[in-house]
Amino acid sequence: MSTPARVAVLISGSGTNLQAILDAAAAGELPVTICGVLSDRPDAAGLERARRAGVPAIAVDYREHPDRAAAEAALGQQLDALAPDIVVLAGFMRILPDELVERYAGRMLNVHPSLLPKFRGLDTFRRVLEAGDAWHGSTVHFVVPELDAGPRIIRYRIAVRPGDTAASLKQRVQAGEYRIYPRAIRWLAEGRLALRDGAAWLDGRRLDEPVTVDEAA
Ligand code: GAR
């Protein structure tokens, strides 16, 4: 691990989590260097956030490659060229090839908008409302080849309120993501967090349940 740790962030969209990470780093709350931001979409607004922060912003347009494998190879090359210690998926909406995930095993994090293992995949806000669940939230986890299935590290939990919509849930859940994601990245950068024996370990303790942060009532 370099000192400070080099963090590459992968995005596909607006990059509000990226912004929270950039802000935490700029404020000295996250002792890392954001060494680059990669997007699979050249029009991702998050790329502009990176440029504004003076961070290299790189688009690997999947549509410009003959097939998915070629796009994935290009993305992998760009990522490796940044020499990151840590890879952070922040609203990156593509499935990465197993080989790349394995190359960064224990050094790649994702944030997923559900209380995993519930609601893997897409459209979690609509699905949680349809299920009538009392709780929703977001989970930071290590990335493994199986989608949204890696060991969980920290989660933000909110109570679903009467009248909540997908939009209101998203707004409240994302506000929590901006708190928990920089924390998890910091733990990893400081060597406090590790992936071992298929589990997440924090300060030498196996996390059978993720650290839970509740929305203030
Ligand atoms: C985040 O809320 C994150 O939980 C979600 O995408 C959003 C990106 O927002 N990720 C996934 O759904 C991954 N399966 P942002 O671009 O504004 O950070």
Side-chain angles (χ1 to χ4, degrees):
M1 189 86 69
S2 328
T3 317
R6 294 170 61 81
V7 174
V9 185
L10 269 58
I11 61 163
S12 297
S14 64
T16 61
N17 274 281
L18 165 67
Q19 191 67 57
I21 293 162
L22 290 168
D23 291 348
E29 293 156 11
L30 183 56
V32 303
T33 300
I34 312 295
C35 59
V37 172
L38 279 164
S39 170
D40 60 312
R41 302 179 53 116
D43 58 348
L47 287 172
E48 190 48 37
R49 296 179 189 273
R51 287 185 204 107
R52 273 206 302 273
V55 170
I58 303 149
V60 176
D61 191 344
Y62 272 47
R63 294 163 306 187
E64 279 188 357
H65 290 82
D67 54 31
R68 182 173 151 183
E72 288 172 342
L75 184 84
Q77 277 170 17
Q78 293 282 359
L79 182 60
D80 293 347
L82 294 170
D85 298 301
I86 295 172
V87 179
V88 166
L89 310 186
F92 185 71
M93 301 308 281
R94 291 198 183 258
I95 295 171
L96 291 168
D98 290 0
E99 157 273 311
L100 191 139
V101 169
E102 272 147 19
R103 190 151 78 244
Y104 287 98
R107 302 190 287 139
M108 186 182 275
L109 303 179
N110 182 42
V111 65
H112 178 76
S114 79
L115 297 174
L116 290 171
K118 291 192 133 189
F119 305 112
R120 294 177 185 172
L122 296 174
D123 225 357
T124 62
F125 302 106
R126 182 184 56 76
R127 287 160 63 205
V128 81
L129 288 170
E130 280 174 11
D133 279 17
W135 297 93
H136 192 42
S138 195
T139 309
V140 176
H141 63 93
F142 281 111
V143 177
V144 299
E146 192 183 344
L147 184 68
D148 299 330
R152 298 165 302 157
I153 299 159
I154 185 169
R155 64 183 178 181
Y156 183 76
R157 192 167 59 172
I158 68 171
V160 178
R161 298 173 186 154
D164 259 328
T165 61
S168 69
L169 287 179
K170 180 176 177 183
Q171 193 259 323
R172 286 163 57 216
V173 162
Q174 287 195 326
E177 291 181 339
Y178 310 150
R179 293 171 54 193
I180 61 171
Y181 214 1
R183 250 171 102 176
I185 297 164
R186 179 176 185 140
W187 289 337
L188 193 56
E190 291 177 339
R192 296 174 56 190
L193 175 68
L195 174 66
R196 206 164 62 236
D197 305 330
W201 295 70
L202 180 62
D203 295 332
R205 197 170 52 89
R206 188 187 156 112
L207 292 177
D208 292 318
E209 287 298 323
V211 174
T212 298
V213 176
D214 279 318
E215 182 182 43

